[in-house]
Amino acid sequence: MRASFTIIKRLSYAAGILLLLLVCAAFLLPKFINTAPVKDELQRILSQKISGTLTFRSIDLSLFPVPRLIMDQPRIALPGKLEASIASLRVFPEIIPFFRGQVKITKLQIRDPALTLHVSDREGGLPSAEQISAALTSMTSDADGLILSVENGRFSVIRNGHEPAVLRRVDARMVAESTEDGITVILDRLKIAAPRLLFAGVFSIRPASPRLSVYLKGTNLPVQQTGGFALAAVGEMPPVRNITDIVRDGTVPDITFESWGDTFEELGAIKNIEIRGGLEQASIHIPGLGLDFTAVQGAFTVSKGILQGKGIAGRLGKSTLRQASLKLGVTGDDGPFHLETVAKADPQETLDLLRQLVKDKPLLQELHRIQSASGAMLGRLVLDGTLASVEPRVSVSEMDLSARYDRIPFPVTIGRGSFVYDQEQISVKDLAGTVGQSTFSGMDARMDRGPEPRLAVRSGTLFLHAAEMHGWLASLKPVRTPLGEIASAGGIITIS
């Protein structure tokens, strides 16, 4: 019994002495580290480790209540690659490995960091999945993972020949975990004040292919600011440039971003990226065609280099669109293009679009003879092909319009009927309207398109104002002589 008491007593003495040594170390070690010779030597060694320059104002090592290292005003410089300054860096190592001389970090707290990254378009050498995995595994706590928090950060990417891409007032929290299945970094929160961005997500490194994967979910993203940052950050990558040129303004209320690959280069390849989200009050530009849609709302995806939209509503000039769908390649002019929409269209805008897209020269000449179109039309518009070659299809189910056609000296109005224009035909059905003081109704006609166009009038009734028709026809050279013998004409001529 006495022996046991003696052992306990000695262990108590030993523990007390160890505690006293730890307390002394906690007070004396920072003073020792911050003496000029030791501080200079430590900065030299750390600078060699990072192949750059690392300086700090002071280091404070505290053991209670938990071990932590506080570095005041550290600065890092890697010439031509990176500059960073931090107001305060706090490192919390895991306790047991710490006393074994191993550094396993459970928490990193970074306050007021300012980081500038220099990127060259010709510069390669991105880290491999193995290098990232080894670095995270070596310093991450096996039990608790690594928690990284950033407060009030400023991050800049400078690419040769481009304006800096800057993120301001960045607050973030992420957790890195190392398991047998690989490395997982969970982004709990990424909040950026300018541009206004809010993200959460997951980054994974796995042993099997695809080695790398990224999943991000964002809310309420401003299109213009987000696109501007993306362009400045990645440079003139055609898919990024094309997407920002197509979607120019508006808000994305929700968005998900997924990417995968065996290397970081593959992770950024457009074929390995999927984006899903929505648009509100957006502006969409169709390059090559000069079409600018406004007040756009709907759902969209980007997958394998194809942008698709469904359930789209918006405006094109004075025309309103609904139930629209869009398919558009973002890798170049040879990608697919398809737009289909129900439209309440402005006749003059529809006429201008057909003039732009129709390649049939005789038909194009006739379209240019139509002027001052006004009124309203309801129907379906389809544009199909590629951005370099688009074929229009127009189907009008309701119309109420007026125009001038320079082959006829009278105004033309149409109050009822349907109209179809596609690659095979131009047809009208149940057409009713006026030409000057003459009227027509029930017109059903079709002209087949091709090398030898053929016109077939199936039905219709004409009520011609004789005096008006006589005056016009008598002015035409082919019939001027015979009609000139008729002094005047009156009444209505009915043709059915």
Side-chain angles (χ1 to χ4, degrees):
M1 185 73 177
R2 182 180 295 272
S4 299
F5 177 76
T6 302
I7 293 172
I8 293 172
K9 186 177 180 180
R10 290 178 179 176
L11 288 175
S12 299
Y13 285 152
I17 293 171
L18 179 59
L19 181 60
L20 179 62
L21 290 174
L22 290 174
V23 172
C24 291
F27 282 102
L28 296 177
L29 192 57
K31 295 182 179 180
F32 174 72
I33 292 175
N34 290 308
T35 58
V38 176
K39 179 180 173 181
D40 291 344
E41 182 63 15
L42 182 58
Q43 291 180 156
R44 184 187 67 80
I45 294 172
L46 292 175
S47 296
Q48 288 180 345
K49 291 287 186 182
I50 65 172
S51 300
T53 302
L54 185 148
T55 62
F56 54 85
R57 182 178 179 181
S58 63
I59 289 182
D60 181 23
L61 178 63
S62 176
L63 300 178
F64 302 101
V66 293
R68 64 186 182 277
L69 184 145
I70 303 173
M71 188 176 290
D72 186 41
Q73 297 183 18
R75 294 179 179 273
I76 301 172
L78 306 180
K81 296 181 178 180
L82 179 146
E83 296 99 34
S85 62
I86 302 171
S88 174
L89 172 65
R90 295 188 174 208
V91 183
F92 294 79
E94 193 175 357
I95 295 176
I96 294 177
F98 179 74
F99 287 108
R100 293 176 184 164
Q102 299 175 348
V103 179
K104 290 283 187 177
I105 301 172
T106 62
K107 190 184 300 183
L108 276 175
Q109 294 178 344
I110 304 174
R111 184 171 61 83
D112 296 336
L115 184 146
T116 300
L117 182 66
H118 297 268
V119 180
S120 170
D121 292 331
R122 296 171 297 178
E123 194 172 41
L126 289 173
S128 66
E130 290 78 9
Q131 290 172 322
I132 296 292
S133 179
L136 288 174
T137 301
S138 66
M139 68 178 186
T140 301
S141 167
D142 297 328
D144 302 321
L146 168 63
I147 300 174
L148 170 65
S149 61
V150 176
E151 178 184 343
N152 194 34
R154 185 181 188 277
F155 298 90
S156 304
V157 179
I158 299 178
R159 183 176 292 273
N160 293 344
H162 298 274
E163 291 293 322
V166 183
L167 300 176
R168 295 179 177 85
R169 291 161 56 191
V170 178
D171 294 318
R173 184 182 186 276
M174 62 187 72
V175 179
E177 298 175 342
S178 177
T179 67
E180 293 181 356
D181 296 328
I183 297 288
T184 301
V185 179
I186 301 171
L187 179 62
D188 286 340
R189 182 189 73 257
L190 174 60
K191 184 178 180 181
I192 303 168
R196 191 181 72 251
L197 304 174
L198 183 62
F199 278 105
V202 178
F203 169 68
S204 300
I205 303 177
R206 303 183 186 91
S209 182
R211 299 290 315 280
L212 307 173
S213 66
V214 173
Y215 172 84
L216 290 173
K217 180 177 178 61
T219 56
N220 296 322
L221 308 185
V223 168
Q224 198 171 55
Q225 295 178 35
T226 305
F229 173 80
L231 272 180
V234 305
E236 293 297 324
M237 290 177 60
V240 176
R241 163 56 68 187
N242 291 340
I243 290 174
T244 57
D245 190 36
I246 294 167
V247 186
R248 295 188 169 185
D249 204 356
T251 301
V252 180
D254 57 83
I255 187 171
T256 61
F257 174 98
E258 293 184 77
S259 181
W260 52 87
D262 289 328
T263 66
F264 282 94
E265 287 84 357
E266 291 182 6
L267 202 64
I270 189 66
K271 66 178 182 179
N272 298 327
I273 292 175
E274 285 196 2
I275 304 172
R276 300 179 183 275
L279 283 172
E280 290 183 351
Q281 294 300 311
S283 297
I284 292 182
H285 171 75
I286 306 299
L289 302 180
L291 301 180
D292 291 290
F293 300 91
T294 59
V296 175
Q297 299 187 74
F300 74 91
T301 64
V302 177
S303 180
K304 294 181 172 55
I306 305 295
L307 185 151
Q308 296 191 72
K310 294 182 178 181
I312 299 172
R315 297 189 63 84
L316 177 61
K318 299 176 183 178
S319 304
T320 59
L321 314 178
R322 58 184 175 85
Q323 301 174 15
S325 62
L326 173 67
K327 182 178 182 180
L328 177 61
V330 298
T331 56
D333 290 346
D334 57 346
F337 172 68
H338 184 88
L339 171 67
E340 186 166 350
T341 181
V342 174
K344 186 177 181 181
D346 177 82
Q348 185 62 49
E349 291 179 346
T350 305
L351 179 62
D352 292 340
L353 180 62
L354 288 174
R355 288 170 177 169
Q356 180 182 349
L357 299 177
V358 167
K359 300 178 180 63
D360 186 329
K361 289 185 178 180
L363 176 59
L364 187 58
Q365 289 174 354
E366 297 305 312
L367 290 175
H368 279 286
R369 291 181 177 275
I370 302 173
Q371 303 295 330
S372 304
S374 62
M377 302 187 302
L378 178 64
R380 181 172 293 274
L381 170 67
V382 178
L383 304 179
D384 189 54
T386 68
L387 289 178
S389 178
V390 176
E391 185 67 36
R393 299 200 299 271
V394 179
S395 174
V396 178
S397 56
E398 298 178 19
M399 64 180 86
D400 183 8
L401 58 88
S402 63
R404 303 290 302 206
Y405 180 49
D406 69 4
R407 291 189 184 276
I408 302 173
F410 315 116
V412 178
T413 68
I414 299 175
R416 187 182 71 243
S418 62
F419 166 83
V420 173
Y421 168 89
D422 58 29
Q423 291 176 298
E424 298 178 354
Q425 63 168 323
I426 301 173
S427 64
V428 295
K429 188 174 183 180
D430 194 28
L431 209 64
T434 65
V435 179
Q437 297 182 65
S438 302
T439 64
F440 58 90
S441 63
M443 294 294 297
D444 189 346
R446 171 180 172 131
M447 185 179 73
D448 293 325
R449 297 180 59 194
E452 298 180 2
R454 291 180 299 174
L455 175 64
V457 179
R458 300 187 182 92
S459 64
T461 303
L462 300 177
F463 302 93
L464 303 180
H465 190 276
E468 194 174 64
M469 289 295 109
H470 175 266
W472 171 43
L473 295 175
S475 68
L476 300 178
K477 188 174 182 179
V479 293
R480 182 182 301 163
T481 301
L483 287 179
E485 298 176 359
I486 303 174
S488 64
I492 300 296
I493 302 173
T494 301
I495 301 176
S496 179

